[in-house]
Amino acid sequence: MAFPKNFLWGGAMAANQCEGAFDADGRGLSSCDLLPAAKERFMLSKGELPLSKMDDSYYYPARYGIDFYYHYKEDIALLAEMGFKCLRISIAWTRIFPNGDDEQPNEKGLAFYEDIFKECRKYGIEPLVTMAHFDVPVHCIEKYGSWRDHRMIDFYKRYAQTIFTRYKGLVHYWITFNEINMLLHLPYVGGGIIFEDGENKDQVKYTAAHHQLIASAWATKIAHEIDPENKVGCMLAAGVTYPYTCHPKDVWKAMQEDDKNYFFIDVQVRGEYPGYAKKKLERLGIQLETTEEEKKILKENTVDYVSFSYYASRCASGTEENAEITDGNAFASLKNPYLEASQWGWQIDPLGLRITLNDLYDRYQKPLFIVENGLGAKDVLEDGKIHDEYRIAYLREHIQAMKAAVEEDGVDLIGYTSWGCIDLISASTGEMSKRYGYIYVDRDDAGNGSLKRIKKDSFDWYQKVIASNGEQL
Ligand code: BG6
Protein backbone atom coordinates (compact mmCIF):
# COMPACT_ATOMS: atom_id res chain seq x y z
CA MET A 1 0.00 0.00 0.00
CA ALA A 2 1.44 3.35 -1.07
CA PHE A 3 -0.12 5.61 1.54
CA PRO A 4 0.25 5.21 5.29
CA LYS A 5 -2.89 4.24 7.20
CA ASN A 6 -3.22 7.67 8.77
CA PHE A 7 -2.84 9.56 5.47
CA LEU A 8 -4.86 12.79 5.64
CA TRP A 9 -7.28 12.64 2.71
CA GLY A 10 -9.62 15.55 2.40
CA GLY A 11 -10.34 18.91 0.88
CA ALA A 12 -9.53 22.57 1.28
CA MET A 13 -11.39 25.84 1.40
CA ALA A 14 -10.77 29.39 2.63
CA ALA A 15 -12.89 31.79 4.68
CA ASN A 16 -12.81 34.59 2.13
CA GLN A 17 -14.09 32.31 -0.62
CA CYS A 18 -16.78 30.40 1.20
CA GLU A 19 -18.05 32.00 4.41
CA GLY A 20 -19.88 35.11 3.22
CA ALA A 21 -21.69 36.81 6.15
CA PHE A 22 -19.07 39.52 5.90
CA ASP A 23 -20.69 41.81 8.45
CA ALA A 24 -22.24 39.23 10.78
CA ASP A 25 -21.54 38.96 14.50
CA GLY A 26 -18.98 41.73 14.73
CA ARG A 27 -16.72 40.69 11.83
CA GLY A 28 -14.58 43.52 10.45
CA LEU A 29 -13.98 44.27 6.79
CA SER A 30 -11.23 42.21 5.21
CA SER A 31 -9.01 42.79 2.15
CA CYS A 32 -10.85 40.35 -0.13
CA ASP A 33 -14.22 41.94 0.64
CA LEU A 34 -13.08 44.84 -1.52
CA LEU A 35 -12.23 42.82 -4.63
CA PRO A 36 -15.10 43.00 -7.11
CA ALA A 37 -15.90 40.42 -9.78
CA ALA A 38 -14.99 42.93 -12.46
CA LYS A 39 -12.20 43.76 -14.88
CA GLU A 40 -10.45 45.93 -12.26
CA ARG A 41 -9.95 42.88 -10.04
CA PHE A 42 -6.56 41.95 -11.44
CA MET A 43 -5.02 45.43 -11.07
CA LEU A 44 -6.47 45.68 -7.57
CA SER A 45 -5.05 42.25 -6.72
CA LYS A 46 -1.65 43.54 -7.78
CA GLY A 47 -2.01 46.59 -5.55
CA GLU A 48 -1.95 48.87 -8.57
CA LEU A 49 -5.31 50.61 -8.00
CA PRO A 50 -6.54 52.53 -4.98
CA LEU A 51 -9.47 50.81 -3.31
CA SER A 52 -11.47 54.02 -3.04
CA LYS A 53 -12.23 53.66 -6.74
CA MET A 54 -14.52 50.76 -6.01
CA ASP A 55 -18.13 51.50 -5.17
CA ASP A 56 -21.42 49.77 -4.52
CA SER A 57 -22.29 49.38 -8.17
CA TYR A 58 -19.89 46.40 -8.20
CA TYR A 59 -20.54 42.89 -6.93
CA TYR A 60 -18.04 41.78 -4.27
CA PRO A 61 -18.27 37.98 -4.17
CA ALA A 62 -16.15 37.40 -1.04
CA ARG A 63 -18.82 39.15 1.01
CA TYR A 64 -21.29 36.38 0.22
CA GLY A 65 -19.19 33.32 -0.72
CA ILE A 66 -21.34 30.21 -0.64
CA ASP A 67 -22.83 31.24 2.68
CA PHE A 68 -20.79 28.60 4.51
CA TYR A 69 -21.20 30.70 7.67
CA TYR A 70 -24.81 29.54 7.85
CA HIS A 71 -24.40 26.18 6.07
CA TYR A 72 -21.32 24.70 7.71
CA LYS A 73 -23.13 21.90 9.54
CA GLU A 74 -24.78 20.66 6.39
CA ASP A 75 -21.54 21.06 4.41
CA ILE A 76 -19.32 19.29 6.91
CA ALA A 77 -21.86 16.45 7.06
CA LEU A 78 -21.52 16.03 3.28
CA LEU A 79 -17.73 16.08 3.46
CA ALA A 80 -17.86 13.50 6.24
CA GLU A 81 -20.09 11.33 4.05
CA MET A 82 -17.27 11.35 1.49
CA GLY A 83 -15.05 9.96 4.23
CA PHE A 84 -12.88 13.04 4.77
CA LYS A 85 -10.07 12.54 7.27
CA CYS A 86 -9.02 16.16 7.10
CA LEU A 87 -10.59 19.52 6.28
CA ARG A 88 -8.50 22.56 5.51
CA ILE A 89 -10.23 25.83 6.31
CA SER A 90 -8.96 29.27 7.18
CA ILE A 91 -9.87 31.57 10.02
CA ALA A 92 -10.95 35.05 8.97
CA TRP A 93 -8.68 37.27 11.04
CA THR A 94 -11.41 39.94 11.15
CA ARG A 95 -13.89 37.60 12.84
CA ILE A 96 -11.43 37.33 15.73
CA PHE A 97 -9.96 40.84 15.65
CA PRO A 98 -12.31 42.98 13.55
CA ASN A 99 -9.75 45.75 13.09
CA GLY A 100 -6.61 43.64 13.38
CA ASP A 101 -5.11 45.88 16.06
CA ASP A 102 -7.85 45.44 18.71
CA GLU A 103 -6.82 44.65 22.28
CA GLN A 104 -9.58 42.11 22.85
CA PRO A 105 -10.89 39.38 20.56
CA ASN A 106 -14.47 39.08 19.36
CA GLU A 107 -16.08 36.21 21.27
CA LYS A 108 -18.66 35.48 18.59
CA GLY A 109 -15.92 34.94 16.02
CA LEU A 110 -14.01 32.64 18.36
CA ALA A 111 -17.17 30.66 19.13
CA PHE A 112 -17.95 30.23 15.43
CA TYR A 113 -14.67 28.44 14.68
CA GLU A 114 -14.80 26.47 17.89
CA ASP A 115 -18.09 25.08 16.74
CA ILE A 116 -16.70 24.24 13.28
CA PHE A 117 -13.76 22.37 14.80
CA LYS A 118 -16.06 20.46 17.14
CA GLU A 119 -18.29 19.61 14.21
CA CYS A 120 -15.26 18.25 12.34
CA ARG A 121 -14.11 16.23 15.34
CA LYS A 122 -17.61 14.75 15.69
CA TYR A 123 -16.94 12.99 12.37
CA GLY A 124 -13.29 12.21 13.09
CA ILE A 125 -12.13 14.92 10.68
CA GLU A 126 -8.78 16.55 11.52
CA PRO A 127 -8.94 20.32 10.98
CA LEU A 128 -6.01 21.89 9.13
CA VAL A 129 -6.17 25.61 9.72
CA THR A 130 -4.70 28.45 7.70
CA MET A 131 -4.29 31.55 9.83
CA ALA A 132 -4.15 34.03 6.96
CA HIS A 133 -5.55 33.02 3.62
CA PHE A 134 -5.53 36.17 1.48
CA ASP A 135 -6.93 37.98 4.48
CA VAL A 136 -5.81 41.31 5.96
CA PRO A 137 -8.03 43.55 8.10
CA VAL A 138 -8.94 46.62 6.03
CA HIS A 139 -8.39 48.81 9.06
CA CYS A 140 -4.72 47.72 9.08
CA ILE A 141 -4.40 48.46 5.37
CA GLU A 142 -5.75 51.96 5.87
CA LYS A 143 -3.99 52.78 9.12
CA TYR A 144 -0.60 51.07 8.72
CA GLY A 145 -0.24 50.30 5.03
CA SER A 146 -0.61 46.63 5.94
CA TRP A 147 2.43 44.32 6.03
CA ARG A 148 4.89 47.01 5.00
CA ASP A 149 4.59 48.14 8.64
CA HIS A 150 6.53 46.35 11.36
CA ARG A 151 3.65 46.67 13.85
CA MET A 152 1.72 44.05 11.90
CA ILE A 153 3.97 41.43 13.46
CA ASP A 154 2.65 42.27 16.93
CA PHE A 155 -0.98 42.19 15.79
CA TYR A 156 -0.42 38.83 14.17
CA LYS A 157 1.30 37.49 17.31
CA ARG A 158 -1.70 38.50 19.40
CA TYR A 159 -3.99 36.80 16.93
CA ALA A 160 -1.80 33.67 16.99
CA GLN A 161 -1.69 33.56 20.79
CA THR A 162 -5.47 33.94 20.97
CA ILE A 163 -6.38 31.20 18.53
CA PHE A 164 -3.73 28.69 19.68
CA THR A 165 -4.97 29.11 23.24
CA ARG A 166 -8.63 28.88 22.41
CA TYR A 167 -8.35 25.90 20.04
CA LYS A 168 -5.79 23.93 22.02
CA GLY A 169 -6.61 20.24 21.65
CA LEU A 170 -9.12 20.91 18.85
CA VAL A 171 -6.59 21.83 16.16
CA HIS A 172 -3.10 20.40 15.68
CA TYR A 173 -2.22 21.33 12.11
CA TRP A 174 -1.62 24.99 11.30
CA ILE A 175 -0.46 26.96 8.27
CA THR A 176 0.75 30.49 9.01
CA PHE A 177 0.26 32.14 5.58
CA ASN A 178 -1.41 30.74 2.51
CA GLU A 179 0.87 30.77 -0.55
CA ILE A 180 3.31 33.14 1.10
CA ASN A 181 5.11 33.70 -2.21
CA MET A 182 1.90 35.24 -3.61
CA LEU A 183 3.05 38.47 -2.02
CA LEU A 184 5.49 38.99 -4.89
CA HIS A 185 2.94 38.28 -7.60
CA LEU A 186 -0.35 39.66 -6.25
CA PRO A 187 0.76 41.91 -3.37
CA TYR A 188 -2.73 43.04 -2.40
CA VAL A 189 -4.07 39.51 -2.30
CA GLY A 190 -1.03 38.12 -0.51
CA GLY A 191 -0.43 41.00 1.88
CA GLY A 192 -2.95 43.82 1.58
CA ILE A 193 -0.36 45.99 -0.18
CA ILE A 194 -1.50 48.98 -2.24
CA PHE A 195 1.38 50.85 -3.83
CA GLU A 196 1.69 54.57 -3.55
CA ASP A 197 2.83 56.69 -6.48
CA GLY A 198 6.57 56.61 -7.04
CA GLU A 199 7.20 54.01 -4.36
CA ASN A 200 9.99 51.43 -4.80
CA LYS A 201 7.78 48.38 -5.25
CA ASP A 202 10.51 45.81 -4.67
CA GLN A 203 11.41 47.47 -1.39
CA VAL A 204 7.78 47.38 -0.29
CA LYS A 205 7.22 43.76 -1.33
CA TYR A 206 10.35 42.40 0.32
CA THR A 207 9.77 44.45 3.47
CA ALA A 208 6.25 43.01 3.71
CA ALA A 209 7.64 39.52 3.02
CA HIS A 210 10.24 39.99 5.74
CA HIS A 211 7.56 40.96 8.24
CA GLN A 212 5.41 37.97 7.30
CA LEU A 213 8.39 35.64 7.65
CA ILE A 214 9.16 36.96 11.12
CA ALA A 215 5.47 36.81 12.09
CA SER A 216 5.35 33.22 10.85
CA ALA A 217 8.37 32.24 12.95
CA TRP A 218 6.85 33.90 16.03
CA ALA A 219 3.60 32.04 15.45
CA THR A 220 5.52 28.76 15.18
CA LYS A 221 7.21 29.47 18.51
CA ILE A 222 3.96 30.40 20.24
CA ALA A 223 2.16 27.37 18.79
CA HIS A 224 4.81 25.00 20.12
CA GLU A 225 4.87 26.65 23.53
CA ILE A 226 1.10 26.49 23.95
CA ASP A 227 0.83 22.90 22.77
CA PRO A 228 3.83 20.77 21.84
CA GLU A 229 1.41 18.66 19.79
CA ASN A 230 0.93 21.57 17.37
CA LYS A 231 2.44 21.15 13.93
CA VAL A 232 3.05 24.33 11.99
CA GLY A 233 3.64 24.47 8.27
CA CYS A 234 4.63 26.98 5.64
CA MET A 235 2.70 27.08 2.38
CA LEU A 236 4.00 27.62 -1.13
CA ALA A 237 2.19 28.23 -4.42
CA ALA A 238 4.29 25.56 -6.07
CA GLY A 239 4.78 24.15 -9.54
CA VAL A 240 8.20 23.37 -10.94
CA THR A 241 9.51 25.69 -13.68
CA TYR A 242 10.79 23.88 -16.76
CA PRO A 243 13.40 25.39 -19.07
CA TYR A 244 11.82 26.05 -22.46
CA THR A 245 14.74 24.21 -24.14
CA CYS A 246 18.00 22.64 -22.97
CA HIS A 247 19.83 25.89 -23.75
CA PRO A 248 21.80 26.68 -20.57
CA LYS A 249 20.28 30.17 -20.50
CA ASP A 250 16.81 28.64 -20.39
CA VAL A 251 17.84 26.29 -17.60
CA TRP A 252 19.33 29.19 -15.66
CA LYS A 253 16.21 31.31 -16.14
CA ALA A 254 13.97 28.46 -14.97
CA MET A 255 16.10 28.07 -11.87
CA GLN A 256 15.94 31.79 -11.09
CA GLU A 257 12.17 31.75 -11.45
CA ASP A 258 11.93 28.87 -8.98
CA ASP A 259 14.26 30.61 -6.54
CA LYS A 260 11.98 33.66 -6.41
CA ASN A 261 9.39 31.39 -4.82
CA TYR A 262 11.65 29.01 -2.89
CA PHE A 263 13.19 32.01 -1.17
CA PHE A 264 10.27 32.12 1.29
CA ILE A 265 10.37 28.42 2.08
CA ASP A 266 14.18 28.45 2.34
CA VAL A 267 13.80 30.97 5.17
CA GLN A 268 10.93 29.12 6.84
CA VAL A 269 12.67 25.74 6.72
CA ARG A 270 16.29 26.76 7.24
CA GLY A 271 15.77 29.79 9.44
CA GLU A 272 17.85 32.28 7.49
CA TYR A 273 18.02 34.11 4.19
CA PRO A 274 19.76 32.02 1.52
CA GLY A 275 22.88 33.44 -0.17
CA TYR A 276 21.20 34.03 -3.54
CA ALA A 277 18.45 36.08 -1.84
CA LYS A 278 20.89 38.23 0.14
CA LYS A 279 22.77 39.02 -3.07
CA LYS A 280 19.59 39.77 -4.95
CA LEU A 281 18.37 42.17 -2.28
CA GLU A 282 21.77 43.85 -2.33
CA ARG A 283 21.62 44.24 -6.13
CA LEU A 284 18.14 45.72 -5.89
CA GLY A 285 19.33 48.12 -3.20
CA ILE A 286 16.79 46.77 -0.73
CA GLN A 287 17.39 47.36 2.97
CA LEU A 288 15.61 45.15 5.48
CA GLU A 289 15.69 46.21 9.08
CA THR A 290 16.08 43.34 11.51
CA THR A 291 17.07 42.99 15.12
CA GLU A 292 19.30 40.26 16.50
CA GLU A 293 16.28 38.94 18.37
CA GLU A 294 14.37 38.57 15.11
CA LYS A 295 17.24 36.72 13.47
CA LYS A 296 17.20 34.35 16.42
CA ILE A 297 13.43 33.90 16.18
CA LEU A 298 13.76 33.00 12.49
CA LYS A 299 16.61 30.59 13.15
CA GLU A 300 15.05 28.80 16.10
CA ASN A 301 11.49 28.47 14.87
CA THR A 302 11.49 26.68 11.60
CA VAL A 303 8.42 24.85 10.34
CA ASP A 304 7.42 21.25 11.03
CA TYR A 305 6.25 20.49 7.51
CA VAL A 306 6.07 22.04 4.06
CA SER A 307 2.66 22.40 2.51
CA PHE A 308 1.94 23.58 -0.99
CA SER A 309 -0.60 24.06 -3.74
CA TYR A 310 -0.06 22.53 -7.13
CA TYR A 311 -2.21 23.22 -10.16
CA ALA A 312 0.28 23.39 -13.01
CA SER A 313 3.94 23.37 -13.91
CA ARG A 314 5.52 26.50 -15.37
CA CYS A 315 7.95 27.17 -18.15
CA ALA A 316 10.58 29.90 -18.64
CA SER A 317 13.19 30.91 -21.16
CA GLY A 318 16.27 33.09 -21.12
CA THR A 319 16.52 33.10 -24.90
CA GLU A 320 13.07 33.02 -26.47
CA GLU A 321 11.40 36.39 -26.54
CA ASN A 322 8.34 35.62 -28.61
CA ALA A 323 7.07 32.43 -27.00
CA GLU A 324 3.37 32.35 -26.25
CA ILE A 325 2.31 33.12 -22.69
CA THR A 326 -0.47 31.38 -20.79
CA ASP A 327 -2.21 31.87 -17.46
CA GLY A 328 -1.45 29.96 -14.30
CA ASN A 329 -2.05 30.30 -10.57
CA ALA A 330 -1.27 34.06 -10.55
CA PHE A 331 1.94 33.43 -12.46
CA ALA A 332 1.91 33.84 -16.20
CA SER A 333 4.10 31.19 -17.80
CA LEU A 334 5.41 30.34 -21.24
CA LYS A 335 3.03 27.97 -22.93
CA ASN A 336 4.40 24.45 -22.85
CA PRO A 337 3.69 22.88 -26.27
CA TYR A 338 3.49 19.40 -24.73
CA LEU A 339 0.65 20.15 -22.32
CA GLU A 340 -3.10 20.58 -22.47
CA ALA A 341 -4.64 23.40 -20.51
CA SER A 342 -7.81 24.00 -18.47
CA GLN A 343 -10.59 26.32 -19.65
CA TRP A 344 -8.68 29.08 -17.87
CA GLY A 345 -5.36 28.28 -19.57
CA TRP A 346 -3.74 26.58 -16.57
CA GLN A 347 -1.48 23.85 -17.96
CA ILE A 348 -2.34 20.32 -16.89
CA ASP A 349 0.72 18.32 -15.86
CA PRO A 350 0.37 15.39 -13.44
CA LEU A 351 4.00 14.35 -13.86
CA GLY A 352 4.88 17.91 -12.89
CA LEU A 353 3.37 17.14 -9.48
CA ARG A 354 5.70 14.17 -9.04
CA ILE A 355 8.63 16.33 -10.11
CA THR A 356 7.57 19.11 -7.71
CA LEU A 357 7.21 16.64 -4.84
CA ASN A 358 10.70 15.27 -5.48
CA ASP A 359 12.12 18.72 -5.88
CA LEU A 360 10.68 19.95 -2.58
CA TYR A 361 11.58 16.81 -0.68
CA ASP A 362 15.17 16.81 -1.96
CA ARG A 363 15.52 20.46 -1.07
CA TYR A 364 13.99 20.40 2.40
CA GLN A 365 13.81 16.83 3.74
CA LYS A 366 10.66 17.76 5.64
CA PRO A 367 7.29 16.03 5.54
CA LEU A 368 5.24 17.41 2.66
CA PHE A 369 1.51 18.12 2.54
CA ILE A 370 -0.39 18.84 -0.70
CA VAL A 371 -3.02 21.25 0.56
CA GLU A 372 -4.43 22.36 -2.80
CA ASN A 373 -4.79 20.72 -6.18
CA GLY A 374 -7.68 20.47 -8.59
CA LEU A 375 -9.34 21.48 -11.82
CA GLY A 376 -11.35 24.68 -12.13
CA ALA A 377 -14.00 23.93 -14.73
CA LYS A 378 -17.48 24.94 -15.81
CA ASP A 379 -20.04 22.34 -14.77
CA VAL A 380 -23.36 21.68 -16.46
CA LEU A 381 -26.36 20.69 -14.41
CA GLU A 382 -28.36 18.07 -16.34
CA ASP A 383 -31.51 16.60 -14.80
CA GLY A 384 -30.21 17.49 -11.37
CA LYS A 385 -26.82 15.77 -11.94
CA ILE A 386 -23.29 16.85 -12.80
CA HIS A 387 -21.22 14.40 -14.79
CA ASP A 388 -17.74 15.79 -14.15
CA GLU A 389 -15.59 13.05 -15.62
CA TYR A 390 -13.02 15.74 -16.67
CA ARG A 391 -12.49 16.57 -12.99
CA ILE A 392 -12.22 12.91 -12.05
CA ALA A 393 -9.64 12.40 -14.82
CA TYR A 394 -7.54 15.36 -13.62
CA LEU A 395 -7.62 14.24 -9.98
CA ARG A 396 -7.00 10.59 -10.80
CA GLU A 397 -3.86 11.39 -12.77
CA HIS A 398 -2.54 13.72 -10.11
CA ILE A 399 -3.19 11.23 -7.33
CA GLN A 400 -1.43 8.57 -9.42
CA ALA A 401 1.58 10.88 -9.75
CA MET A 402 1.60 11.56 -6.02
CA LYS A 403 1.34 7.85 -5.35
CA ALA A 404 4.39 7.22 -7.53
CA ALA A 405 6.30 9.89 -5.63
CA VAL A 406 5.51 8.15 -2.34
CA GLU A 407 5.80 4.53 -3.45
CA GLU A 408 8.65 4.72 -5.92
CA ASP A 409 10.59 7.84 -4.95
CA GLY A 410 10.28 7.64 -1.16
CA VAL A 411 8.79 11.10 -0.65
CA ASP A 412 7.38 11.63 2.84
CA LEU A 413 3.85 12.91 2.21
CA ILE A 414 1.36 13.29 5.05
CA GLY A 415 -1.81 14.30 3.26
CA TYR A 416 -3.76 15.53 0.30
CA THR A 417 -6.55 18.10 0.52
CA SER A 418 -7.86 18.95 -2.93
CA TRP A 419 -8.90 22.53 -3.48
CA GLY A 420 -12.48 23.79 -3.27
CA CYS A 421 -13.97 20.46 -2.19
CA ILE A 422 -17.28 22.26 -2.27
CA ASP A 423 -17.70 24.87 -5.04
CA LEU A 424 -16.62 28.32 -3.91
CA ILE A 425 -15.56 31.72 -5.25
CA SER A 426 -12.47 31.82 -7.46
CA ALA A 427 -9.64 33.81 -5.92
CA SER A 428 -8.22 35.09 -9.19
CA THR A 429 -11.38 35.97 -11.08
CA GLY A 430 -14.11 36.18 -8.44
CA GLU A 431 -16.23 33.86 -10.55
CA MET A 432 -18.46 31.17 -9.11
CA SER A 433 -18.47 29.34 -12.44
CA LYS A 434 -14.82 28.32 -12.03
CA ARG A 435 -15.74 25.28 -9.99
CA TYR A 436 -13.46 22.78 -8.24
CA GLY A 437 -15.85 20.91 -5.98
CA TYR A 438 -17.21 17.42 -5.46
CA ILE A 439 -20.32 19.27 -4.35
CA TYR A 440 -22.10 21.74 -6.60
CA VAL A 441 -23.46 24.95 -5.10
CA ASP A 442 -26.35 26.61 -6.89
CA ARG A 443 -25.06 30.16 -7.14
CA ASP A 444 -23.98 32.06 -10.26
CA ASP A 445 -21.32 34.68 -10.97
CA ALA A 446 -23.66 37.51 -10.02
CA GLY A 447 -24.62 35.91 -6.71
CA ASN A 448 -28.02 34.53 -7.77
CA GLY A 449 -29.20 31.01 -6.95
CA SER A 450 -30.81 28.86 -4.30
CA LEU A 451 -27.47 27.85 -2.65
CA LYS A 452 -28.66 24.26 -2.83
CA ARG A 453 -25.85 21.68 -2.54
CA ILE A 454 -25.80 18.84 -5.12
CA LYS A 455 -23.38 15.91 -5.20
CA LYS A 456 -21.43 15.59 -8.45
CA ASP A 457 -20.22 12.28 -9.95
CA SER A 458 -16.80 13.07 -8.49
CA PHE A 459 -18.35 12.87 -5.00
CA ASP A 460 -18.85 9.09 -5.27
CA TRP A 461 -15.50 8.67 -6.97
CA TYR A 462 -13.55 10.49 -4.23
CA GLN A 463 -15.46 8.60 -1.56
CA LYS A 464 -14.08 5.36 -3.01
CA VAL A 465 -10.58 6.80 -3.32
CA ILE A 466 -10.57 7.66 0.38
CA ALA A 467 -12.18 4.39 1.47
CA SER A 468 -9.52 2.41 -0.42
CA ASN A 469 -6.71 4.69 0.83
CA GLY A 470 -5.88 5.68 -2.74
CA GLU A 471 -5.87 2.15 -4.17
CA GLN A 472 -9.09 2.48 -6.14
CA LEU A 473 -8.68 5.32 -8.59
C1 BG6 B 1 -4.67 29.29 -4.81
C2 BG6 B 1 -5.35 29.84 -3.61
O1 BG6 B 1 -3.99 30.35 -5.37
O2 BG6 B 1 -5.41 28.76 -5.86
C3 BG6 B 1 -6.86 29.63 -3.56
O3 BG6 B 1 -4.74 29.49 -2.41
C4 BG6 B 1 -7.40 29.70 -4.96
O4 BG6 B 1 -7.39 30.59 -2.70
C5 BG6 B 1 -6.81 28.57 -5.76
O5 BG6 B 1 -8.79 29.70 -5.02
C6 BG6 B 1 -7.36 28.41 -7.15
O6 BG6 B 1 -7.31 29.62 -7.83
P1 BG6 B 1 -8.59 30.25 -8.53
O7 BG6 B 1 -8.13 31.54 -9.01
O8 BG6 B 1 -8.95 29.31 -9.61
O9 BG6 B 1 -9.63 30.34 -7.48
Side-chain angles (χ1 to χ4, degrees):
M1 192 175 267
F3 299 106
K5 253 173 70 192
N6 55 354
F7 191 75
L8 293 168
W9 291 101
M13 48 215 292
N16 81 82
Q17 290 162 264
C18 71
E19 283 180 7
F22 75 105
D23 54 0
D25 296 331
R27 179 186 180 278
L29 208 57
S30 177
S31 46
C32 281
D33 299 337
L34 299 181
L35 288 176
K39 65 177 183 338
E40 292 88 345
R41 188 177 178 95
F42 184 58
M43 291 302 277
L44 283 163
S45 298
K46 285 173 63 168
E48 307 275 2
L49 281 184
L51 290 175
S52 53
K53 284 208 174 145
M54 308 317 307
D55 58 46
D56 287 344
S57 60
Y58 290 90
Y59 173 59
Y60 296 89
R63 298 184 190 182
Y64 312 100
I66 55 160
D67 210 33
F68 180 74
Y69 192 76
Y70 296 112
H71 285 75
Y72 68 92
K73 288 206 171 149
E74 168 197 348
D75 291 345
I76 293 172
L78 281 167
L79 301 173
E81 192 183 325
M82 248 187 295
F84 271 34
K85 313 271 184 233
C86 179
L87 176 62
R88 176 178 177 226
I89 64 156
S90 74
I91 293 181
W93 189 347
T94 55
R95 283 204 196 282
I96 312 299
F97 290 98
N99 295 302
D101 62 356
D102 321 68
E103 296 285 333
Q104 296 302 325
N106 171 27
E107 173 52 34
K108 285 192 174 157
L110 285 168
F112 170 63
Y113 293 106
E114 183 175 332
D115 211 43
I116 289 194
F117 302 143
K118 285 188 172 153
E119 200 64 19
C120 286
R121 294 245 163 247
K122 187 169 109 185
Y123 297 106
I125 297 175
E126 184 77 44
L128 162 62
V129 179
T130 315
M131 298 166 63
H133 191 127
F134 301 161
D135 192 358
V136 184
V138 167
H139 171 79
C140 289
I141 297 177
E142 288 170 341
K143 185 159 179 197
Y144 308 100
S146 191
W147 282 99
R148 57 156 75 69
D149 192 299
H150 192 271
R151 283 170 287 185
M152 289 295 282
I153 298 173
D154 289 329
F155 307 145
Y156 187 86
K157 277 168 70 180
R158 190 183 300 156
Y159 167 55
Q161 177 87 34
T162 305
I163 58 178
F164 296 150
T165 307
R166 178 67 174 245
Y167 305 128
K168 183 173 175 179
L170 279 175
V171 179
H172 294 119
Y173 287 90
W174 300 93
I175 292 172
T176 50
F177 289 92
N178 179 61
E179 297 189 333
I180 190 163
N181 51 324
M182 198 56 82
L183 196 53
L184 298 183
H185 305 273
L186 298 177
Y188 179 76
V189 171
I193 298 295
I194 303 166
F195 296 110
E196 286 157 19
D197 282 346
E199 203 169 28
N200 177 341
K201 291 184 184 165
D202 285 327
Q203 175 74 50
V204 174
K205 284 192 276 189
Y206 279 100
T207 302
H210 186 58
H211 293 155
Q212 287 195 350
L213 289 167
I214 295 168
S216 174
W218 269 114
T220 307
K221 177 175 165 60
I222 299 167
H224 290 151
E225 281 168 2
I226 290 178
D227 186 352
E229 297 279 300
N230 274 331
K231 304 226 175 305
V232 186
C234 53
M235 200 303 200
L236 172 76
V240 60
T241 308
Y242 299 139
Y244 196 61
T245 71
C246 55
H247 193 299
K249 286 189 177 168
D250 287 359
V251 177
W252 178 237
K253 179 70 179 169
M255 196 173 174
Q256 285 179 307
E257 289 299 312
D258 273 345
D259 279 349
K260 270 189 209 161
N261 298 308
Y262 287 154
F263 149 69
F264 292 86
I265 310 305
D266 285 354
V267 178
Q268 289 175 297
V269 172
R270 299 177 181 146
E272 59 190 23
Y273 278 51
Y276 68 85
K278 285 188 198 150
K279 289 289 174 192
K280 180 177 174 170
L281 295 178
E282 230 174 87
R283 275 197 304 279
L284 290 170
I286 292 172
Q287 311 279 347
L288 298 179
E289 283 170 31
T290 299
T291 61
E292 284 310 309
E293 188 200 15
E294 285 175 344
K295 280 190 194 157
K296 197 161 171 270
I297 289 295
L298 278 184
K299 190 69 200 165
E300 289 176 358
N301 299 283
T302 54
V303 291
D304 301 308
Y305 64 96
V306 173
S307 77
F308 66 97
S309 61
Y310 176 87
Y311 294 92
S313 57
R314 301 161 188 148
C315 190
S317 170
T319 54
E320 181 61 64
E321 277 164 19
N322 301 315
E324 207 182 322
I325 309 266
T326 188
D327 270 342
N329 184 14
F331 309 65
S333 159
L334 294 190
K335 195 163 162 27
N336 185 328
Y338 302 103
L339 299 177
E340 302 279 312
S342 78
Q343 289 161 322
W344 276 263
W346 296 21
Q347 309 189 90
I348 301 174
D349 182 11
L351 183 54
L353 175 58
R354 183 173 178 182
I355 297 169
T356 302
L357 278 160
N358 274 276
D359 209 19
L360 288 170
Y361 194 56
D362 285 350
R363 192 166 179 129
Y364 299 121
Q365 300 286 305
K366 286 269 176 189
L368 301 180
F369 202 154
I370 301 173
V371 296
E372 285 186 34
N373 171 240
L375 180 72
K378 288 193 197 267
D379 289 330
V380 182
L381 192 58
E382 280 173 287
D383 300 330
K385 296 202 176 348
I386 293 110
H387 303 299
D388 57 343
E389 65 289 340
Y390 37 89
R391 183 168 294 107
I392 294 174
Y394 177 101
L395 293 166
R396 176 187 292 126
E397 287 175 25
H398 282 76
I399 294 175
Q400 261 156 359
M402 125 182 147
K403 200 170 171 183
V406 172
E407 205 166 32
E408 294 172 43
D409 311 331
V411 168
D412 180 6
L413 184 68
I414 53 180
Y416 175 83
T417 57
S418 65
W419 175 248
C421 42
I422 176 164
D423 290 347
L424 37 68
I425 304 292
S426 157
S428 56
T429 67
E431 292 163 299
M432 189 65 214
S433 52
K434 191 178 186 192
R435 296 171 182 274
Y436 287 86
Y438 306 107
I439 300 162
Y440 183 89
V441 177
D442 179 25
R443 167 159 269 182
D444 68 15
D445 288 344
N448 305 308
S450 65
L451 289 174
K452 190 170 165 214
R453 277 58 171 155
I454 301 166
K455 296 176 198 170
K456 303 182 193 176
D457 286 359
S458 55
F459 184 101
D460 297 327
W461 173 80
Y462 197 46
Q463 190 179 50
K464 289 198 188 98
V465 172
I466 298 177
S468 64
N469 201 17
E471 291 300 308
Q472 213 177 314
L473 292 172

